Amino acid sequence: MTVHGDDLAVEVRGLRKRYGEVTAVDGVDLFVRRGEVFGLLGPNGAGKSTTVEILQGHRSRDGGEVRVLGGDPASGTRAWRSRIGIVWQDESAPAELTVRETVRHFAHYYPAPRDPAEVIRLVGLEEKADSRVKGLSGGQRRRLDVALGVIGGPELLLLDEPTTGFDPAARRRFWDLVRKLAAEGTTILLTTHYLEEAEALADRLAVLAGGRIAAEGTPAALRERYGTEAVVEWTDPDGTPRDERTTTPTAAVAALMERFDGEIPGLRVGRPTLEDVYLRLTGQEDAR
């Protein structure tokens, strides 16, 4: 990828991190343009959270070069950290405060925060604004964590599995929030297990497997590059369901038409999905 350094919010070359005998990140190169939504995918243990922690300056690295918003996270100043928002997998809000008190409290940590009431509305917690954090459901607490991640009006927002515990409606509201932030110019790096979420939000994706980048590109480019096989399904005359994986689905359907002398019972042609590509790249094809 040919991009000038000034156009990059995140620039990572040869990133490495070990925990004892375990290599969590093994020579990762990662480039995130300013203003884009970038998805980082991978199974548990692939190195996603470790990479995000290093980018934020929360964890040290063993090797490689890292630049985030023009600075090295290993020596990030308070002013540099105020330009980055992060939503961890673990909850961070104090249990005894109300939602409104919590968001207002965190707003004081930043030089130019967003309006707390606006942020509460954006994450769909208006009706719970005066409820104590300890009384919220798991999904509501997760939404509050997102509110705390965006209250500072960050240039870069790091989202580590942000919609875990969300119901479908809350997840869609969160997607709208991400799109709104991106439209305002916020750069967003998202880790997620939800392939639908990654496809809906990300301009580009990288798939981590075994601490390395297995593939990178737009969702459409990844499907085209790695999702070469379609699945043709039909039902035999005796009622037995059949399927065939093929790179030439049109030819397969034509052959079936000759065999059935016309209409093919139960015919269905499935094109490769992002999930198919992800499972192939991470060695989990048998998980289908």
Side-chain angles (χ1 to χ4, degrees):
M1 184 177 90
T2 304
V3 180
H4 296 295
D6 290 344
D7 297 325
L8 295 173
V10 175
E11 187 173 3
V12 176
R13 301 178 189 275
L15 179 62
R16 298 183 183 278
K17 179 64 181 180
R18 293 177 60 87
Y19 299 105
E21 297 299 314
V22 177
T23 299
V25 182
D26 190 15
V28 163
D29 294 335
L30 195 63
F31 305 95
V32 181
R33 301 182 183 96
R34 290 182 182 270
E36 79 173 332
V37 180
F38 190 94
L40 192 59
L41 308 180
N44 290 335
K48 303 188 304 299
S49 292
T50 293
T51 299
V52 171
E53 290 172 351
I54 291 171
L55 295 180
Q56 195 261 352
H58 182 73
R59 191 170 299 280
S60 63
R61 62 185 185 269
D62 296 328
E65 300 177 10
V66 180
R67 303 285 291 178
V68 177
L69 299 181
D72 186 336
S75 57
T77 63
R78 183 174 181 179
W80 175 85
R81 292 180 187 278
S82 72
R83 299 164 62 198
I84 300 172
I86 187 161
V87 177
W88 296 115
Q89 293 186 43
D90 299 324
E91 299 171 5
S92 57
E96 296 299 326
L97 296 182
T98 67
V99 169
R100 194 189 316 276
E101 289 169 343
T102 301
V103 177
R104 286 177 174 174
H105 176 73
F106 274 74
H108 291 304
Y109 294 151
Y110 299 95
R114 298 178 72 109
D115 176 57
E118 175 199 17
V119 169
I120 290 171
R121 183 175 64 255
L122 283 172
V123 299
L125 287 176
E126 312 98 300
E127 295 182 1
K128 294 292 183 177
D130 294 315
S131 299
R132 294 188 187 278
V133 173
K134 65 181 181 181
L136 301 179
S137 68
Q140 290 165 347
R141 291 190 186 193
R142 199 74 187 118
R143 280 184 255 171
L144 178 56
D145 285 337
V146 174
L148 302 184
V150 303
I151 187 63
E155 295 176 43
L156 171 65
L157 182 60
L158 305 175
L159 301 173
D160 193 19
E161 306 288 350
T163 60
T164 299
F166 279 29
D167 61 39
R171 182 169 291 118
R172 296 285 176 167
R173 284 197 298 269
F174 174 76
W175 292 2
D176 290 340
L177 171 59
V178 170
R179 294 184 181 112
K180 183 178 188 300
L181 292 170
E184 293 173 351
T186 305
T187 305
I188 298 169
L189 191 150
L190 166 77
T191 77
T192 180
H193 283 297
Y194 300 111
L195 276 297
E196 179 189 10
E197 181 164 274
E199 190 152 21
L201 295 178
D203 300 307
R204 290 189 302 121
L205 300 168
V207 178
L208 267 174
R212 297 182 179 182
I213 300 292
E216 180 271 326
T218 66
L222 292 179
R223 284 196 306 271
E224 182 177 349
R225 194 181 315 155
Y226 297 100
T228 56
E229 292 183 336
V231 179
V232 179
E233 301 177 17
W234 71 95
T235 303
D236 275 349
D238 64 359
T240 304
R242 302 289 186 184
D243 66 78
E244 175 186 346
R245 291 188 172 277
T246 176
T247 57
T248 55
T250 302
V253 171
L256 285 169
M257 289 181 68
E258 286 189 16
R259 174 181 165 189
F260 283 91
D261 193 24
E263 198 68 24
I264 306 166
L267 178 65
R268 181 175 177 273
V269 179
R271 295 290 179 175
T273 65
L274 184 61
E275 181 177 355
D276 294 326
V277 171
Y278 171 80
L279 293 174
R280 176 173 300 171
L281 290 170
T282 56
Q284 302 178 86
E285 287 184 278
D286 293 340
R288 269 191 291 254

